[in-house]
Amino acid sequence: MIVCEYEFEKPDTRNPRYSLVEADVYGWIPEEFWDEIRDHRLSLRKSLKMGKFELYRYYYADGSEELIFTGSLEECLRRAEAEWKRFHYGWAGVVPEFKPCRHRPPDISSLCPMQRAITPI
């Protein structure tokens, strides 16, 4: 997963303190972990007010959120990778790669706004 920081600049009209765009790291956790932590989605967003990225858990049962990490995009992606490995490596058997966009191939997000500037038409 390659994530471009420029994707997170537009504010959410319902909550302008946060970016409109969010990136889901995973959408659920295996049932074997539910005694330890409730089923949840892990997502990345940007706090436009603070200028920092955030990883948060969204709990399906009651719609609550838990902020688990705040930092730079790179720091959040490292934490996201650790969380993914914690809950999903056992059944998926692959090591994910979470990287920040470098705005040039091969490390460019498919949603990077810089992509149009370097892709011939």
Side-chain angles (χ1 to χ4, degrees):
M1 172 188 244
I2 299 173
V3 179
C4 181
E5 72 268 20
Y6 296 129
E7 297 174 48
F8 296 85
E9 296 303 317
K10 186 176 181 180
D12 185 337
T13 55
R14 292 178 295 167
N15 189 351
R17 295 177 305 151
Y18 290 102
S19 57
L20 176 63
V21 170
E22 294 185 354
D24 292 338
V25 176
Y26 54 76
W28 56 277
I29 62 170
E31 191 173 347
E32 66 192 72
F33 293 100
W34 292 1
D35 287 340
E36 175 187 343
I37 188 167
R38 297 177 291 157
D39 191 22
H40 64 274
R41 173 186 84 223
L42 183 67
S43 298
L44 173 72
R45 66 184 175 199
K46 185 175 184 182
S47 167
L48 299 175
K49 182 178 179 182
M50 302 299 291
K52 298 274 188 180
F53 285 86
E54 299 178 347
L55 276 177
Y56 75 97
R57 292 183 178 128
Y58 172 82
Y59 294 101
Y60 295 111
D62 61 8
S64 64
E65 295 179 359
E66 176 189 15
L67 183 63
I68 66 163
F69 190 81
T70 301
S72 70
L73 177 60
E74 292 82 3
E75 291 167 329
C76 283
L77 291 175
R78 280 193 296 273
R79 179 66 184 265
E81 186 172 318
E83 290 288 306
W84 192 96
K85 286 177 183 176
R86 176 181 174 197
F87 295 113
H88 292 283
Y89 181 74
W91 70 269
V94 295
V95 177
E97 190 172 26
F98 293 86
K99 301 190 305 189
C101 183
R102 299 293 180 216
H103 319 297
R104 295 269 183 246
D107 296 331
I108 188 167
S109 165
S110 61
L111 300 175
C112 177
M114 306 288 281
Q115 181 172 311
R116 288 188 205 105
I118 63 170
T119 304
I121 296 176

